[in-house]
Amino acid sequence: MKISIKYMGSIINLPSGVIDLAKNASENELKVILVLSAYSSHFCDFDKAIPALCKQLDLTASEVTSALCFWAKNGILELDGVDNISPDTVSSVTEADNSVPSFTGAQITALIDANPSFKMLADCAANVLGKDFTPTDYNSLLHIKNYYKFSDEYILMLLAYCVENNTSNWAYIRKTSKILYDEGIDTYEKLEEHFAARRNKRSLEYKVRKLFGVGGREFTAREKGIFDAWANAKISYELIKMAYEISVDNGKGANWNYANKILENWLASGVKTVEDAQRLMESHKEKLSMSSFDTDDFFEAALKRSSERIKERSKK
């Protein structure tokens, strides 16, 4: 009995290397290479090929991508002169709705083998998080890399910051990524500046809590509003401490409102440093008169007395 292939219409042209790889190729991988060979002119654009192959073969984007990775890894496929497949190329079809992809372990292995740059990112990320990556970890990393288009350096800084704050689970990392992206913090330089400001605010909060005797309890709504205003205005701890000492020296104790009024007056007068505040208080001495005082006069007198006490303490 003789076997004959009936050539009717177009002919599929495949590299001979496919024969050697066929025994190790999966059903999906064979389907993809056959369709690509038959309709290569229609699938020259990789981004458009993924959804088209998904529709024609009734496969998911993950399955198609895995198959392409297999053939690229083994030298059968080449994409416009690029010899590997980047995770970025599947973002539009796997994560258009900001969902985490669901590549299997085998698919991830194929993707990593075909893409050394992603393997390097994953290895560094695993080192930062201090864990061996599972498929869940790889999928979450792919999600952040593909959907937000963050650079590798950006992602590693983000992961390091989360670890620093003891919140390194992927749900938190994904949520933080979305917040940063929505706020326009989408480059390494912007992220570095953002995290520096966050660290400075935490440092200031620790010092202010200790100064006003707040301890570890939550700020009240009033305290939080005042502290946030100080932090946003970038008032130094030294100025806050000076306002606190004036409040205490004038019998007000650790009075947030009193200290805040002092700082507001200083800001309105252009005060930025302790030296500026001392010069401002010195300038008030000459205009103060004991003959007629209004509320503001009493306040200025209090500042004068405090200025003198602060100077005395600095001499000791």
Side-chain angles (χ1 to χ4, degrees):
M1 182 178 290
K2 186 167 76 172
I3 300 175
S4 300
I5 297 178
K6 294 184 177 181
Y7 294 102
M8 295 181 293
S10 61
I11 297 175
I12 295 177
N13 185 20
L14 287 171
S16 61
V18 173
I19 298 174
D20 298 326
L21 295 167
K23 62 182 179 181
N24 296 319
S26 68
E27 179 183 347
N28 289 341
E29 288 159 355
L30 291 171
K31 284 181 179 179
V32 167
I33 195 64
L34 286 173
V35 172
L36 277 177
S37 298
Y39 303 101
S40 58
S41 61
H42 299 292
F43 296 139
C44 56
D45 186 321
F46 184 79
D47 289 330
K48 295 178 180 178
I50 294 285
L53 287 167
C54 289
K55 182 177 181 180
Q56 183 156 346
L57 297 173
D58 194 23
L59 298 176
T60 67
S62 298
E63 290 170 332
V64 170
T65 303
S66 177
L68 292 171
C69 287
F70 173 81
W71 296 114
K73 173 188 173 184
N74 288 285
I76 301 300
L77 288 182
E78 193 172 282
L79 305 175
D80 294 330
V82 180
D83 59 7
N84 58 50
I85 300 174
S86 165
D88 291 337
T89 58
V90 299
S91 62
S92 62
V93 292
T94 61
E95 302 182 58
D97 59 351
N98 196 13
S99 61
V100 179
S102 56
F103 291 109
T104 66
Q107 291 170 333
I108 289 169
T109 298
L111 182 61
I112 288 175
D113 288 343
N115 189 9
S117 64
F118 178 69
K119 182 180 187 304
M120 182 178 294
L121 171 61
D123 288 345
C124 290
N127 185 54
V128 170
L129 295 177
K131 61 186 296 187
D132 294 328
F133 266 21
T134 65
T136 298
D137 297 308
Y138 282 110
N139 281 308
S140 292
L141 183 62
L142 276 169
H143 162 71
I144 293 173
K145 174 69 177 174
N146 292 347
Y147 187 80
Y148 298 111
K149 306 299 182 184
F150 294 149
S151 69
D152 292 358
E153 293 78 12
Y154 183 109
I155 292 172
L156 294 175
M157 178 185 283
L158 172 59
L159 297 181
Y161 180 82
C162 291
V163 170
E164 180 183 318
N165 289 277
N166 300 313
T167 50
S168 58
N169 66 79
W170 283 109
Y172 178 86
I173 295 170
R174 291 195 299 270
K175 180 179 179 182
T176 302
S177 297
K178 184 179 186 308
I179 292 172
L180 293 170
Y181 183 80
D182 290 344
E183 292 180 354
I185 304 170
D186 53 3
T187 67
Y188 179 87
E189 292 73 21
K190 291 178 182 178
L191 186 67
E192 189 174 36
E193 183 179 344
H194 175 74
F195 283 160
R198 291 282 295 271
R199 291 188 181 98
N200 290 338
K201 185 174 181 179
R202 285 204 307 273
S203 176
L204 180 64
E205 180 177 340
Y206 171 80
K207 293 176 181 178
V208 168
R209 282 177 174 277
K210 188 174 180 181
L211 183 66
F212 282 82
V214 174
R217 70 166 173 78
E218 292 288 331
F219 278 146
T220 65
R222 176 177 58 83
E223 291 169 345
K224 186 178 186 308
I226 291 174
F227 173 76
D228 285 346
W230 294 348
N232 293 336
K234 297 183 179 179
I235 300 175
S236 70
Y237 170 72
E238 289 72 24
L239 267 183
I240 294 173
K241 182 180 179 183
M242 191 174 181
Y244 166 84
E245 290 176 346
I246 291 173
S247 177
V248 172
D249 287 342
N250 286 281
K252 305 296 183 180
N255 191 307
W256 285 77
N257 288 331
Y258 194 86
N260 189 49
K261 182 177 180 183
I262 293 170
L263 291 167
E264 285 179 343
N265 286 344
W266 284 346
L267 287 180
S269 300
V271 170
K272 294 182 179 179
T273 66
V274 169
E275 292 73 22
D276 291 340
Q278 289 174 336
R279 282 193 292 269
L280 181 64
M281 290 191 290
E282 285 291 329
S283 70
H284 286 316
K285 286 184 179 180
E286 298 298 326
K287 75 172 189 175
L288 290 175
S289 167
M290 298 302 295
S291 58
S292 60
F293 279 103
D294 59 18
T295 303
D296 289 336
D297 292 330
F298 279 115
F299 187 71
E300 291 182 352
L303 293 180
K304 176 186 174 184
R305 291 194 300 272
S306 295
S307 176
E308 292 170 350
R309 292 191 185 101
I310 291 170
K311 280 191 174 183
E312 289 174 1
R313 282 198 291 266
S314 65
K315 291 178 182 178
K316 294 180 182 179

